[in-house]
Amino acid sequence: MLIWLLVGCTASPLPPTPIPPSIILRVLNRVTYIDQQLLEQFTAETNITIDYHTYNSSEEAYRLLTNSSQPFDLIVVSDVLVEQLRHEGQLAVLDQQQLSYVTHLDPVYRRTYLDPEYRFCVPYLWRVAGFGYKLTKTGRPITSWDDVFDPHYNERLTLLDDARSTLGMVLIKLGYSPNTSDPTAIGAARDWLRERAERITGFAADNGQDLLANASTDIVVEWSGDILQRAATDPDIQFEIPAEGSLLATDSMCIPIDARHRPAAEQFMNFILKPENSAMLAKTTYSSTPNRTAWSWLDPELRTLMQEYQSLENEGRLFRLVDVLPSVRELYRGAWREVQQ
């Protein structure tokens, strides 16, 4: 017995239970549209590593989704691309039981969201298109398209390099729907810009805020969050929504049909939907959050701004882009190529 006890005491301990390797979650999102601390926090809480990729336009996002040798597990894309991907059968159906924090979303999204039951996507953030400018360069507020192209002062103007968005804003200015399929209306928007081509000095792939900050341009057509991030540290940078009306875009979290880690992607979605995290995301990106509970964590200035945007939408001054037929998409692309010539 003594010998057995001695042998037992000197026996090697059982090997530890092996720790499963960390899942690598491939995420695709717009530039300037995340809080790095949130990514790090998610990994710390879940042992899921984020392989984070960005894009500058919906067309670039579509190319990445359809041409990447390795599928993405979670994507953040705007209204038009969500519709297109759904029509093409490229989005997976979500497991609602994994999205416990979806109840914190503003009920208004049940009425206005493209996917009111959140079967394929859940809203992430929303933003408004408008004018960013340096007040010391323009000498006065830029509140309309007539201000942008006012010949009485000589500014440098950069347009957002996005056919649907920029042509859509001009269509609103001209009294048309930004979702029109009428070739005459699309041609009118094209011609209106071409008639003012000498005042256009460039096109930005969703980085107009950087051009404005480094004095490469004086006026840009850009999205609210991008400009407001820069305005937070430079009071000379201003943002205005066109008096004629503009676009409102909701970006959504979706899972591609070929994703390899769907449960992990849904875990990331639910993490973002947690009110504290949604608030942190909104404060970092200066974009509006669809998470109503998160509003109590927001700074009063950002909360007021979001309320103003909602009021403009209720007044019918902000419009959402919707997907159009492939032939009509090509009409917009063709018109945009002519604007850029």
Side-chain angles (χ1 to χ4, degrees), residues 251-263:
D251 296 285
S252 300
M253 296 181 285
C254 316
I255 300 177
I257 196 70
D258 58 350
R260 296 175 180 173
H261 303 295
R262 292 190 193 181

Side-chain angles (χ1 to χ4, degrees), residues 30-79:
R30 291 181 63 241
V31 295
T32 70
Y33 224 38
I34 193 63
D35 186 314
Q36 183 63 33
Q37 290 185 5
L38 284 175
L39 298 180
E40 295 170 358
Q41 180 182 336
F42 177 74
T43 297
E45 291 181 8
T46 64
N47 197 36
I48 296 172
T49 301
I50 301 291
D51 181 17
Y52 193 75
H53 301 257
T54 61
Y55 64 88
N56 287 298
S57 68
S58 290
E59 292 201 354
E60 182 185 359
Y62 186 79
R63 287 194 299 270
L64 290 170
L65 285 170
T66 53
N67 296 323
S68 177
S69 59
Q70 187 175 353
F72 290 97
D73 296 302
L74 184 140
I75 59 176
V76 180
V77 290
S78 63
D79 305 304

Side-chain angles (χ1 to χ4, degrees), residues 72-311:
F72 290 97
D73 296 302
L74 184 140
I75 59 176
V76 180
V77 290
S78 63
D79 305 304
V80 174
L81 188 50
V82 166
E83 277 196 287
Q84 182 180 345
L85 293 173
R86 282 186 61 182
H87 292 157
E88 295 176 356
Q90 294 196 50
L91 298 181
V93 176
L94 303 178
D95 183 353
Q96 297 294 322
Q97 293 184 345
Q98 303 304 316
L99 304 175
S100 59
Y101 289 116
V102 77
T103 56
H104 293 281
L105 291 173
D106 193 328
V108 72
Y109 277 87
R110 294 288 187 187
R111 300 193 300 273
T112 64
Y113 193 50
L114 294 170
D115 182 12
E117 299 305 318
Y118 309 130
R119 293 188 65 240
F120 297 93
C121 304
V122 292
Y124 177 78
L125 289 171
W126 55 276
R127 51 202 163 95
V128 180
F131 309 131
Y133 60 96
K134 285 270 186 90
L135 186 58
T136 55
K137 296 293 185 180
T138 62
R140 61 184 174 91
I142 302 298
T143 61
S144 71
W145 281 99
D146 291 335
D147 290 337
V148 167
F149 287 104
D150 187 340
H152 292 95
Y153 62 92
N154 192 23
E155 79 282 3
R156 294 171 295 164
L157 168 65
T158 301
L159 298 183
L160 179 64
D161 189 6
D162 185 296
R164 286 297 310 277
S165 298
T166 304
L167 286 172
M169 293 173 71
V170 174
L171 283 165
I172 294 170
K173 189 270 188 292
L174 298 179
Y176 298 105
S177 165
N179 297 303
T180 183
S181 299
D182 182 2
T184 301
I186 296 171
R190 172 203 62 205
D191 294 342
W192 192 86
L193 287 172
R194 292 190 69 186
E195 289 166 4
R196 294 156 178 78
E198 73 280 357
R199 315 244 342 132
I200 302 170
T201 54
F203 301 88
D206 204 20
N207 65 333
Q209 70 279 2
D210 298 328
L211 301 178
L212 198 64
N214 63 28
S216 296
T217 192
D218 298 332
I219 300 176
V220 297
V221 176
E222 254 295 355
W223 293 99
S224 52
D226 294 332
I227 298 300
L228 293 173
Q229 287 179 49
R230 292 292 188 172
T233 57
D234 185 350
D236 191 31
I237 294 178
Q238 307 287 311
F239 177 78
E240 294 286 348
I241 297 172
E244 300 92 337
S246 192
L247 301 174
L248 180 151
T250 299
D251 296 285
S252 300
M253 296 181 285
C254 316
I255 300 177
I257 196 70
D258 58 350
R260 296 175 180 173
H261 303 295
R262 292 190 193 181
E266 288 163 345
Q267 197 170 352
F268 182 81
M269 282 183 175
N270 204 46
F271 172 82
I272 292 296
L273 289 172
K274 188 176 182 180
E276 300 95 318
N277 296 338
S278 288
M280 183 184 298
L281 182 66
K283 286 188 283 188
T284 300
T285 62
Y286 283 82
S287 296
S288 303
T289 177
N291 192 317
R292 187 70 185 189
T293 310
W295 282 35
S296 61
W297 277 277
L298 298 179
D299 298 329
E301 295 81 5
L302 182 56
R303 191 162 55 241
T304 299
L305 199 60
M306 289 171 53
Q307 291 169 335
E308 290 176 359
Y309 293 165
Q310 286 186 330
S311 296

